[in-house]
Amino acid sequence: AVVSTQSTGPVSMGQGQEIHARRLLTQSMSQGGWVLLQNCHLGLNFMDELLQTITEPTGPVHETFRLWITTECHPHFPINLLQIGLKYTNEPPQGVKAGIKRTYNGVTQDQLDITNMPQWKPMLYTVAILHTVVQERRKFGPLGWNIPYEFNQADL
């Protein structure tokens, strides 16, 4: 595998972050680098401008320029922007065993050894079980839950 030394600039969209996104896009398109626009469903007003910026650039585009965007499903997200790119999805694993494995694969040895308290590892296991059960429960929808909530790896 080749290790990339490209600079990556992340911007979490929403609340006026369009200014930072424009600046980073302009810089990376001309000088090279990767741009990560996160939570694009929160910056829908900027998405049409983004589409025009990358499909009709005003100058030459550096060969190492790459644009990554993350978004949640949204009915008003521009379909054209999705159609011109590669799409990846991150689906939770199916089954309790696979869910616990995925959770534990994200835990480092340093996180396990962070404390000598005897309750730490059983508590971590309990949270992993709870998280996995909640993830599995999502497929049943709001049935039995008061308020639907999208649990994911960040909730751990």
Side-chain angles (χ1 to χ4, degrees):
V2 176
V3 177
S4 175
T5 58
Q6 285 299 325
S7 63
T8 304
V11 176
S12 292
M13 298 304 292
Q15 297 185 350
Q17 295 302 307
E18 294 85 2
I19 297 166
H20 302 291
R22 275 187 207 100
R23 180 184 45 78
L24 190 59
L25 275 168
T26 304
Q27 177 186 347
S28 296
M29 287 177 81
S30 64
Q31 299 173 7
W34 292 12
V35 176
L36 170 61
L37 300 180
Q38 300 170 313
N39 300 321
C40 288
H41 58 283
L42 300 177
L44 292 176
N45 295 336
F46 179 67
M47 292 301 108
D48 290 329
E49 179 184 334
L50 173 65
L51 181 63
Q52 183 176 359
T53 300
I54 61 176
T55 57
E56 302 169 14
T58 56
V61 177
H62 197 277
E63 65 181 20
T64 62
F65 169 71
R66 298 292 183 272
L67 173 64
W68 298 79
I69 63 172
T70 67
T71 185
E72 291 182 3
C73 292
H74 194 284
H76 298 110
F77 196 85
I79 193 72
N80 296 345
L81 190 56
L82 294 175
Q83 289 175 334
I84 65 169
L86 301 174
K87 283 137 314 266
Y88 295 92
T89 59
N90 185 10
E91 296 292 329
Q94 297 296 316
V96 173
K97 184 176 179 181
I100 292 173
K101 278 185 173 181
R102 179 178 183 194
T103 299
Y104 270 118
N105 283 337
V107 176
T108 65
Q109 189 64 42
D110 289 339
Q111 289 171 322
L112 285 174
D113 297 337
I114 200 164
T115 182
N116 291 333
M117 294 179 62
Q119 302 92 343
W120 173 242
K121 289 179 184 174
M123 185 177 70
L124 185 63
Y125 179 74
T126 303
V127 170
I129 292 280
L130 174 65
H131 182 264
T132 300
V133 168
V134 170
Q135 287 286 76
E136 277 297 299
R137 183 80 183 115
R138 285 182 0 165
K139 64 183 167 191
F140 297 108
L143 193 68
W145 299 91
N146 289 334
I147 300 170
Y149 177 79
E150 288 294 320
F151 286 93
N152 59 38
Q153 283 298 108
D155 292 314
L156 282 175

